[in-house]
Amino acid sequence: MKTSPIGVFDSGYGGLTVLKDLIKSMPEYDFLYLGDNARTPYGTRSFDVVYDYTLQAVKYLFAQGCPLVIIACNTASAKALRNIQMLDLPHLAPDNRVLGVIRPSVEKVSEITQNGHVGVLGTVGTVASESYPIELEKWSDGQVKSTVQEACPMWVPLVENNEIENVGADYFVQKNIEAILAKDKFIDTLILGCTHYPLLIDVIKKYVPENINILTQGAIVAEKLVDYLKRHPEMEKRLTKCSNLVYQTTESAVTFESKAALFMGSEVNAKTVHLW
Ligand code: DGL
């Protein structure tokens, strides 16, 4: 049977942290996960390159029958989403939708912060794009008074290279957490603005004081997507619901399967695909 899954895209394994929560909240839907592991990380790449890569992925997922694509990557959401929505979607597939992870996170931060002091941890690209400070200013309704950011360029490579339980992870996590806390000692909400970072959550918690809320994006994106589909029945109707899960990667399927299975807690069958 031909399925119309929800496409979930990331530069590598990070988007699995979002997929896991999507499956938990919406188990009946079909999902197609695509990791561009061959070209990860995106975080240090230029605007044009991230836009190009992300557009290739979106076109590919549309061609696979996904009417709705979630860009489960902050870097791609920051650098490519707006252009794709404004410039590409109208002629590619005007009835399809591409959604990102920054807007739902910004809405959640605004609901949660008590004192309006927010910290954002992200890739070099996400931080340089200023997407979080700009969107928090725009959408928080005055709730957010100060946003400080810290780029953590080593965290994605630590995750992608399976180093999360080694001393190197502690070193880099402690260094970046201390740096952001030094920028604003009143932070009460810290957003992990990269979908890879929840994989480092045990290490992160060691260095973040307990009174600070650490927000991970999976549950937030899932909650907002359920709400989105309630408000958009025309899209909801197009999505098939056979609890089908397909994993695709641009790198080795065998490597993807072993790492993804560890994280998802169940067997993963992946296929290598070519986007270019
Ligand atoms: N998981 C991605 C994000 O949320 C990006 C990582 C990368 O490829 O640098 O930004």
Side-chain angles (χ1 to χ4, degrees):
M1 186 194 120
K2 199 178 152 311
T3 61
S4 299
I6 299 174
V8 180
F9 169 67
D10 182 48
S11 62
Y13 298 108
L16 293 173
T17 64
V18 173
L19 179 69
K20 201 170 178 176
D21 279 306
L22 290 175
I23 297 169
K24 211 196 269 172
S25 300
M26 312 162 65
E28 66 281 22
Y29 287 83
D30 297 327
F31 292 96
L32 166 48
Y33 184 86
L34 174 64
D36 191 5
N37 299 79
R39 300 187 292 194
T40 196
Y42 280 14
T44 43
R45 295 188 191 276
S46 69
F47 184 97
D48 287 348
V49 169
V50 174
Y51 171 46
D52 258 15
Y53 288 1
T54 308
L55 183 57
Q56 282 175 2
V58 167
K59 283 184 182 165
Y60 173 82
L61 288 166
F62 284 173
Q64 298 302 301
C66 302
L68 172 66
V69 172
I70 307 295
I71 308 281
C73 174
N74 289 266
T75 309
S77 296
K79 292 189 165 190
L81 182 63
R82 199 173 152 73
N83 270 1
I84 291 176
Q85 287 174 333
M86 309 279 290
L87 306 177
D88 302 299
L89 205 53
H91 63 87
L92 272 180
D95 294 332
N96 286 2
R97 288 292 170 265
V98 184
L99 304 174
V101 287
I102 295 181
R103 177 76 183 274
S105 308
V106 160
E107 288 174 7
K108 198 53 159 192
V109 170
S110 314
E111 288 162 29
I112 286 205
T113 182
Q114 295 289 315
N115 68 3
H117 287 255
V118 174
V120 180
L121 299 167
T123 64
V124 172
T126 298
V127 167
S129 76
E130 295 278 326
S131 292
Y132 274 96
I134 292 168
E135 299 277 310
L136 282 163
E137 166 90 36
K138 200 156 144 199
W139 301 108
S140 83
D141 215 4
Q143 288 299 314
V144 175
K145 296 179 179 64
S146 138
T147 305
V148 289
Q149 306 190 91
E150 178 70 12
C152 312
M154 293 305 292
W155 293 18
V156 171
L158 286 167
V159 170
E160 291 286 324
N161 293 293
N162 227 0
E163 291 286 341
I164 53 184
E165 283 171 7
N166 297 335
V167 286
D170 271 90
Y171 174 81
F172 286 109
V173 169
Q174 181 176 15
K175 185 174 165 194
N176 293 126
I177 300 280
E178 283 177 1
I180 196 163
L181 295 179
K183 286 178 182 167
D184 180 358
K185 60 177 187 302
F186 298 113
I187 291 172
D188 78 345
T189 307
L190 191 59
I191 175 91
L192 303 190
C194 171
T195 54
H196 280 68
Y197 297 175
L199 291 153
L200 286 160
I201 191 74
D202 292 339
V203 191
I204 295 169
K205 279 186 175 159
K206 282 203 234 168
Y207 301 104
V208 175
E210 269 176 27
N211 62 314
I212 296 180
N213 272 312
I214 304 174
L215 296 192
T216 55
Q217 298 177 301
I220 299 170
V221 173
E223 178 195 322
K224 302 286 180 187
L225 184 58
V226 169
D227 180 56
Y228 175 87
L229 292 176
K230 273 194 202 129
R231 291 183 287 109
H232 293 89
E234 74 292 350
M235 172 56 73
E236 206 285 330
K237 273 191 251 131
R238 292 171 65 194
L239 301 167
T240 49
K241 298 164 196 81
C242 305
S243 307
N244 202 23
L245 257 180
V246 172
Y247 294 89
Q248 299 186 345
T249 172
T250 53
E251 245 294 345
S252 150
V254 177
T255 311
F256 185 94
E257 283 170 353
S258 63
K259 281 205 199 177
L262 272 180
F263 179 70
M264 298 302 287
S266 58
E267 199 185 319
V268 165
N269 289 307
K271 187 175 134 193
T272 302
V273 296
H274 303 281
L275 308 185
W276 59 90

